[in-house]
Amino acid sequence: MNSNQNPFNGKFPQDVTKKPGENAIFIVYGLKESSETLDKVKDVCANFSALIRSMRNRYPDMKFSCTMGFGADAWKRLFPEQGTPKELETFKEIKGSKFIAVSTPGDILFHIRCTKMGLCHEFASIIDEKLRGVVYSIDETHGFRYRDGRAIIGFVDGTENPGVDANPYHFGVISDDAPEFVGGSYVFVQKYIHDMVAWNALPVEEQEKVIGRHKYDDVELSDEEKPKNAHNAVTNIGDDLKIIRDNMPWANTSKGEYGTYFIAYASTFTTTRQMLENMFIGNPVGNTDHLLDFSTPLTGTLFFVPSYDLLNKLGD
Ligand code: HEM
């Protein structure tokens, strides 16, 4: 994007509209109270774009990208003079009568994507070394592209993302906030685990009614075929309210653990939250997402992803 043309006051967003890619590492850190914490985090902010440039320069065909986001507590603690983006707050858990979208801690998120997992690892190691002593790991999940971009439950994931006939920047990047937050994004993560035994016991036609699409060719069920509690029925809240999903499957096969790392970038967190409320509480109340009968979130954390311009400033 050319800085003279972009609609975000010339700010450069991080890679919040990129495709999920082949491999990903998701790291959620907590911050330690230490006299070095601020300096080390600022150093990563100041050098973040240069570190990414170096990876892309060394491996131009590897589709390398990384985004960095801050949780509400960390943001206020580290950068009190900055003010807070409108919708940045600690995620409030969503409790329906049957399902709960839990809220779990997280100060800094790194979402590293690359064709080669080894390069994701290399970048994660560089960041980890820079932050050594001032952070502790809350979660690290390694995600992989499964077959033709399918969730581990066997359905193609990401089809309705804005891309072909809708502008992903419009839905993924903040344009309506104080000037320094324009060009940023809200990213929400949830690490889900699936009950694959129960899921695999469902006939394919029943699975298709859970997702709202055909399994083999990803074609959407007709309105007559699609139940009200299908996943794509409850999460579709209109063409004006979309998010950018970059989910990846994860698995520990020998332990029988299979999951989805849900990650969504949005220009307004209320959009993501509305979808979550529809899933976990139901709209109307009780019409909860049938996918939740097979999927449980282990985490749930909201982060703000500043533009590159703001990241550089934070690093000063
Ligand atoms: C258990 C974890 C999840 C899995 C395995 C999953 C999988 C899928 C699949 C297979 C589709 C259909 C293809 C597509 O359009 O992408 C889909 C659609 C969608 N999902 Fe999810 N999803 C999960 C969680 C979520 C959550 C937590 C949200 C929102 C907060 C969400 C929002 C959406 C939206 C907006 C669509 C498109 C609906 C439409 O057709 O307009 N998903 N998901």
Side-chain angles (χ1 to χ4, degrees):
M1 207 189 315
N2 180 314
S3 67
N4 298 322
Q5 294 169 346
N6 92 26
F8 309 114
N9 296 351
K11 306 276 174 58
F12 282 87
Q14 293 189 47
D15 286 336
V16 301
T17 61
K18 286 262 189 301
K19 301 260 184 246
E22 290 290 321
N23 288 287
I25 298 183
F26 305 93
I27 296 178
V28 174
Y29 282 120
L31 284 176
K32 289 184 184 168
E33 296 277 354
S34 142
S35 56
E36 288 182 299
T37 304
L38 185 60
D39 283 349
K40 287 201 173 187
V41 173
K42 281 188 163 189
D43 177 62
V44 171
C45 294
N47 288 297
F48 195 62
S49 59
L51 292 171
I52 292 173
R53 265 200 311 279
S54 166
M55 292 300 281
R56 289 198 184 145
N57 196 25
R58 291 166 61 204
Y59 304 101
D61 304 324
M62 288 294 136
K63 299 197 171 131
F64 180 84
S65 89
C66 181
T67 62
M68 176 181 186
F70 297 90
D73 287 352
W75 181 265
K76 288 176 194 158
R77 206 170 115 198
L78 293 165
F79 312 116
E81 71 290 351
Q82 282 298 328
T84 306
K86 261 199 249 180
E87 295 189 295
L88 181 62
E89 57 174 20
T90 303
F91 174 62
K92 293 191 199 84
E93 86 168 18
I94 298 174
K95 197 169 189 290
S97 54
K98 199 169 165 197
F99 303 114
I100 301 178
V102 290
S103 168
T104 56
D107 287 328
I108 303 187
L109 169 78
F110 291 97
H111 176 198
I112 309 172
R113 290 177 260 191
C114 191
T115 304
K116 290 247 193 293
M117 186 49 122
L119 299 181
C120 293
H121 166 75
E122 180 173 349
F123 196 80
S125 308
I126 293 170
I127 296 288
D128 194 67
E129 194 174 323
K130 282 192 170 291
L131 292 175
R132 191 151 305 151
V134 305
V135 289
Y136 58 96
S137 174
I138 291 178
D139 181 59
E140 174 168 342
T141 301
H142 293 200
F144 53 90
R145 181 174 166 90
Y146 179 50
R147 299 167 64 193
D148 50 340
R150 288 173 191 259
I152 204 82
I153 54 170
F155 283 75
V156 175
D157 195 0
T159 306
E160 285 298 330
N161 266 342
V164 176
D165 58 352
N167 180 357
Y169 287 99
H170 171 72
F171 293 107
V173 182
I174 298 169
S175 58
D176 173 25
D177 201 335
E180 60 273 31
F181 302 133
V182 167
S185 186
Y186 295 100
V187 64
F188 179 69
V189 298
Q190 269 182 321
K191 180 174 180 170
Y192 280 90
I193 190 157
H194 300 298
D195 181 347
M196 287 302 274
V197 174
W199 179 253
N200 288 331
L202 269 195
V204 169
E205 295 72 33
E206 292 305 312
Q207 292 183 351
E208 292 179 334
K209 288 185 189 151
V210 175
I211 298 296
R213 304 187 84 95
H214 288 292
K215 193 171 186 180
Y216 177 70
D217 62 8
D218 188 35
V219 171
E220 192 173 359
L221 299 192
S222 66
D223 288 350
E224 295 72 45
E225 293 168 314
K226 194 190 291 181
K228 298 235 172 333
N229 64 354
H231 178 59
N232 68 348
V234 300
T235 54
N236 183 336
I237 57 172
D239 287 347
D240 294 336
L241 297 171
K242 286 178 177 273
I243 57 178
I244 318 277
R245 293 169 288 126
D246 286 316
N247 306 350
M248 290 293 247
W250 63 271
N252 292 314
T253 314
S254 62
K255 294 181 184 163
E257 295 173 351
Y258 299 88
T260 297
Y261 200 91
F262 172 84
I263 178 162
Y265 295 92
S267 53
T268 60
F269 178 63
T270 29
T271 306
T272 317
R273 188 162 177 105
Q274 185 60 62
M275 292 174 181
L276 289 164
E277 286 175 358
N278 285 8
M279 289 174 70
F280 286 82
I281 296 171
N283 179 19
V285 174
N287 182 48
T288 49
D289 191 329
H290 198 5
L291 182 55
L292 294 177
D293 288 306
F294 308 91
S295 318
T296 306
L298 306 175
T299 69
T301 321
L302 174 66
F303 300 89
F304 169 65
V305 178
S307 67
Y308 277 121
D309 307 68
L310 180 52
L311 258 192
N312 284 335
K313 189 174 154 209
L314 298 175
D316 277 348

